[in-house]
Amino acid sequence: MLATIVIFISAFLLFQVQPLLAKSLLPVFGGGAQVWTTCLLFFQTFLLAGYCYAHLLVKFLDIKKQQIVHLSLLLISLLALPLGLSDSDIKEQASPEFALLLKLALSVGLPYFVLAATSPLLQSWQSQSLNSKVYKLYSYSNIGSFLALLSYPFVFEPWLTLSAQSWAWSLVYGVFVLLFAGFIGLALKQNNYTQAVQSDEIATSLDKRLPLWLLLSACGVIILTATTSAMTQNVSPIPFLWLLPLSLYLLTFILCFHSAKVYQRWFWLAVFAFSSFIGLMLFFIGSQLDLLSQIVLYSTVLFSACMICHGELEKTKPHQSKLTQFYLMMSLGGALGTAAITFIAPEIFTLFYEYPLALGLVLALFIYSLISTEQFAKNRNMVLVAGGVLVLLAPTFIWLNSQFTNHDTLRLRNFYGLLSVKEVSINGQMERRLIDGTTSHGTEIIEPTYLQGQPQSYYRFETAVAQLLNSQFNGAQVGFIGLGAGTLAAYGKHRDNYTFYELNPNVVATAQSHFSYLNNSKAQVEYVVGDGRVQLQKQKEQGQANRFDALVLDAFSGDAIPMHLLTLEAMQLYLSQLKENGVLAIHISNSHLDLTPLMRGLADELKLKVHFFETKAKQAHEHNTHWVTLTFDEQAIASFKHLQSPWPNQKPTFIWRDDYSNLLSAL
């Protein structure tokens, strides 16, 4: 019983710390979905290290020495408490992926490592002390992980600040170490372990199913991370949307390893065969669906895919004597799958092609698993059906992809996301659009040529931001957090100075090479590459303050909101960079989130005058745009204040802080 409790708590802590640290890191690395993917790589890699360490202990030491070594390491890990991000400086020239991984390793590396090793070690010991089904302990471990993920967005995040969460985690970790020490003490006192009776050849030989275990576990993680990226490219990478896919992933482990009856091959093959075509459609047109529909459909595809991957793992699991070898291969597959998504996919794919490829890989591995078993004759029909679905998926994908990319003139991908330039004909006019994820971040008419250079889309002449920039005196100093296609540079006048802060270097290069707004601007245009808030803070520390007549915040990737740009502390920083009568303009147009209560809440807290401006679309291809202005001096917006709109609702206000934010409040 005590072993089950220790395994449960270790798994709970192992997965509770993941969203906590990832959320803490978002402001440092720009708030993109790739932050979570890179965090997953760290967690998978240290899980692999923990499993490898457990396997080596079991292989080379007797049980008593294993317990003493692991308990010693647990006690040493207490020195890393309380939990918190490392304050160590990381060279700015380091890649964001490397910098993020290093910060995690310095902050939680040792505690996470020993937690990862706890479950396989305890299961190995139990297999030699009792005639028990230790694979059920694995399902209990996954239940702990599942509850940790499920509780975070609904229990911990809404009620506790990040610092309170860190202290709570550290306290429970200390309790866990005490419980583990008690377990070791009882075990050493009773000394009732029996050595495994299998021969050395059986216990240490490499199983022929190793490649299958490796590939199935890698495929499960690939479909998990690809689904998470797809779900969060248009909504902030909030813990809820991180943890829902990961929870479903773990749930399939729980179901498959708790009872072999849950995974019925014919049933799950039929479900996934249907789901794979839904997944293919989602890849191309998912952004046109509402948020709830996207979540339900993506979750269905992910769940059925993971049921096949993990169901096949359960059906091919080895004897208990090779338990740590089995877990080692599973964790290695998980680490390799996440590494492929983090490092390889962005280098070779300009879209999230790993998602449709993962759908095909599930079917291919299902066929491989059936063929590699001794009951192939009995499974021949399933092999034919799975092969038929795979054959149909390939041409469907090729045709849809050709339609989707037909208008692309440029596609780029890096750590910060997807970027493409499309040229489309609208009402007889040829438009060039900058697409970030699946959302337009700037449009320019290139034919007829006399319309070239005129601001379009969210920045057209009637919008509040256009009115604000036009109202500025000649020689104004204006800052912009977020560049897009550089459309707002078109409003620059002689002697104006426009400073654009842009996180993604690909955006700067594309705006300069494919759009004319920046090159033709009358203003003096400067660029600062890096997170806008971080760069403004650095400039403030260097003595640059109170210098902008207007500051425009438009740094959203797709419909995703980097929450660290909208906290109380961020607003205070923006105000410190504005002149006394300066204006802060924030673009809050969004398909999924209502940010108006947040804007009113922040204005009330900071004693600012806040106004809401809605510019309705006059043509079918235009957008309704929502801008908010905040200022201490209403005279600064006197020339266009009469264009303000009534607030769309009177929902209760709220504010976000660096130490506390809950995006569910804005959904």
Side-chain angles (χ1 to χ4, degrees), residues 627-642:
W627 286 86
V628 168
T629 62
L630 300 103
T631 182
F632 289 112
D633 183 4
E634 285 192 309
Q635 281 298 115
I637 61 167
S639 63
F640 62 96
K641 181 182 174 183
H642 64 283

Side-chain angles (χ1 to χ4, degrees), residues 276-541:
S276 60
F277 286 95
I278 293 177
L280 211 55
M281 297 302 294
L282 282 172
F283 178 73
F284 293 106
I285 64 169
S287 62
Q288 298 180 32
L289 303 177
D290 62 87
L291 177 62
L292 182 59
S293 297
Q294 289 187 55
I295 290 174
V296 170
L297 292 174
Y298 274 121
S299 298
T300 301
V301 178
L302 172 66
F303 188 79
S304 61
C306 287
M307 280 301 298
I308 288 181
C309 291
H310 302 153
E312 291 303 314
L313 276 172
E314 193 281 330
K315 284 191 176 296
T316 59
K317 68 182 184 294
H319 185 272
Q320 293 176 182
S321 63
K322 294 185 177 180
L323 179 143
T324 57
Q325 189 179 117
F326 177 59
Y327 288 155
L328 181 59
M329 283 300 102
M330 286 172 57
S331 60
L332 177 58
L336 291 177
T338 314
I341 296 293
T342 305
F343 294 114
I344 300 176
E347 294 298 321
I348 62 177
F349 297 141
T350 53
L351 288 174
F352 288 122
Y353 285 133
E354 57 267 31
Y355 183 75
L357 286 177
L359 299 177
L361 184 59
V362 171
L363 290 166
L365 289 176
F366 179 75
I367 294 170
Y368 172 35
S369 182
L370 294 181
I371 292 175
S372 65
T373 63
E374 296 178 358
Q375 299 85 24
F376 172 64
K378 186 175 67 174
N379 298 326
R380 182 178 286 109
N381 289 338
M382 273 190 283
V383 171
L384 293 174
V385 170
V389 175
L390 185 58
V391 168
L392 287 174
L393 273 178
T396 305
F397 166 74
I398 292 171
W399 181 78
L400 288 172
N401 187 62
S402 67
Q403 299 299 308
F404 185 74
T405 60
N406 186 41
H407 299 288
D408 288 1
T409 61
L410 176 73
R411 289 204 307 274
L412 298 170
R413 180 177 177 182
N414 62 6
F415 178 83
Y416 301 106
L418 305 176
L419 207 65
S420 63
V421 176
K422 294 180 181 287
E423 291 185 0
V424 296
S425 179
I426 303 292
N427 297 334
Q429 298 175 344
M430 183 60 70
E431 291 185 0
R432 182 174 291 162
R433 295 178 178 177
L434 178 66
I435 308 297
D436 190 335
T438 60
T439 302
S440 173
H441 273 222
T443 299
E444 183 174 13
I445 296 174
I446 55 177
E447 289 182 10
T449 55
Y450 69 86
L451 292 177
Q452 190 171 6
Q454 289 188 12
Q456 306 292 327
S457 187
Y458 297 107
Y459 318 103
R460 54 191 185 269
F461 292 126
E462 314 94 88
T463 58
V465 69
Q467 298 292 325
L468 171 64
L469 295 176
N470 281 331
S471 70
Q472 297 298 305
F473 62 87
N474 201 317
Q477 300 287 320
V478 184
F480 303 85
I481 299 180
L483 175 64
T487 311
L488 292 175
Y491 293 104
K493 298 182 286 292
H494 289 295
R495 296 196 298 118
D496 285 351
N497 188 285
Y498 279 15
T499 303
F500 287 92
Y501 299 86
E502 174 54 50
L503 176 67
N504 189 346
N506 280 349
V507 171
V508 178
T510 304
Q512 291 174 325
S513 61
H514 285 72
F515 297 86
S516 69
Y517 297 119
L518 295 173
N519 297 330
N520 294 336
S521 177
K522 295 177 182 178
Q524 176 68 34
V525 178
E526 298 177 8
Y527 311 99
V528 179
V529 177
D531 181 82
R533 178 176 171 183
V534 173
Q535 298 304 318
L536 282 173
Q537 182 63 43
K538 287 182 179 179
Q539 291 176 339
K540 179 182 177 181
E541 291 168 358

Side-chain angles (χ1 to χ4, degrees), residues 60-352:
F60 292 109
L61 300 178
D62 61 42
I63 289 180
K64 182 177 180 180
K65 290 179 180 177
Q66 292 171 34
Q67 292 171 339
I68 293 173
V69 169
H70 193 61
L71 178 59
S72 301
L73 206 54
L74 274 169
L75 293 173
I76 293 171
S77 72
L78 290 173
L79 298 175
L81 302 182
L83 182 69
L85 288 178
S86 168
D87 292 327
S88 60
D89 266 341
I90 297 173
K91 294 181 181 179
E92 290 194 15
Q93 61 266 30
S95 69
E97 295 95 336
F98 174 77
L100 198 158
L101 292 171
L102 185 57
K103 262 193 173 295
L104 284 168
L106 294 173
S107 301
V108 75
L110 184 57
Y112 196 89
F113 172 80
V114 292
L115 281 172
T118 297
S119 179
L121 279 175
L122 277 172
Q123 290 178 61
S124 176
W125 299 339
Q126 291 298 97
S127 71
Q128 298 183 48
S129 65
L130 299 168
N131 186 23
S132 60
K133 298 179 179 179
V134 294
Y135 282 113
K136 276 203 171 183
L137 288 177
Y138 183 59
S139 73
Y140 294 140
S141 169
N142 281 310
I143 290 172
S145 305
F146 178 76
L147 291 177
L149 295 175
L150 201 63
S151 62
Y152 187 83
F154 300 110
V155 178
F156 294 95
E157 186 186 29
W159 298 104
L160 297 176
T161 64
L162 287 174
S163 57
Q165 292 173 38
S166 298
W167 277 102
W169 190 93
S170 302
L171 179 62
V172 176
Y173 185 84
V175 172
F176 159 74
V177 173
L178 289 176
L179 286 174
F180 191 91
F183 171 83
I184 296 296
L186 286 174
L188 292 175
K189 183 178 180 181
Q190 295 172 358
N191 195 26
N192 63 347
Y193 291 106
T194 60
Q195 294 298 321
V197 296
Q198 290 78 26
S199 68
D200 290 342
E201 182 180 356
I202 295 176
T204 62
S205 62
L206 293 179
D207 197 290
K208 66 179 181 180
R209 294 164 293 185
L210 287 179
L212 181 61
W213 299 339
L214 183 74
L215 291 171
L216 284 170
S217 57
C219 184
V221 170
I222 288 172
I223 194 75
L224 164 67
T225 50
T227 299
T228 307
S229 295
M231 286 175 62
T232 57
Q233 67 175 315
N234 286 313
V235 183
S236 286
I238 56 172
F240 173 71
L241 291 181
W242 290 335
L243 303 186
L244 176 61
L246 189 53
S247 298
L248 294 173
Y249 170 86
L250 285 174
L251 182 58
T252 59
F253 265 121
I254 294 169
L255 294 174
C256 292
F257 280 84
H258 192 75
S259 173
K261 296 178 181 179
V262 174
Y263 177 61
Q264 300 296 324
R265 277 172 168 158
W266 267 117
F267 174 79
W268 288 108
L269 174 60
V271 173
F272 181 71
F274 180 71
S275 299
S276 60
F277 286 95
I278 293 177
L280 211 55
M281 297 302 294
L282 282 172
F283 178 73
F284 293 106
I285 64 169
S287 62
Q288 298 180 32
L289 303 177
D290 62 87
L291 177 62
L292 182 59
S293 297
Q294 289 187 55
I295 290 174
V296 170
L297 292 174
Y298 274 121
S299 298
T300 301
V301 178
L302 172 66
F303 188 79
S304 61
C306 287
M307 280 301 298
I308 288 181
C309 291
H310 302 153
E312 291 303 314
L313 276 172
E314 193 281 330
K315 284 191 176 296
T316 59
K317 68 182 184 294
H319 185 272
Q320 293 176 182
S321 63
K322 294 185 177 180
L323 179 143
T324 57
Q325 189 179 117
F326 177 59
Y327 288 155
L328 181 59
M329 283 300 102
M330 286 172 57
S331 60
L332 177 58
L336 291 177
T338 314
I341 296 293
T342 305
F343 294 114
I344 300 176
E347 294 298 321
I348 62 177
F349 297 141
T350 53
L351 288 174
F352 288 122

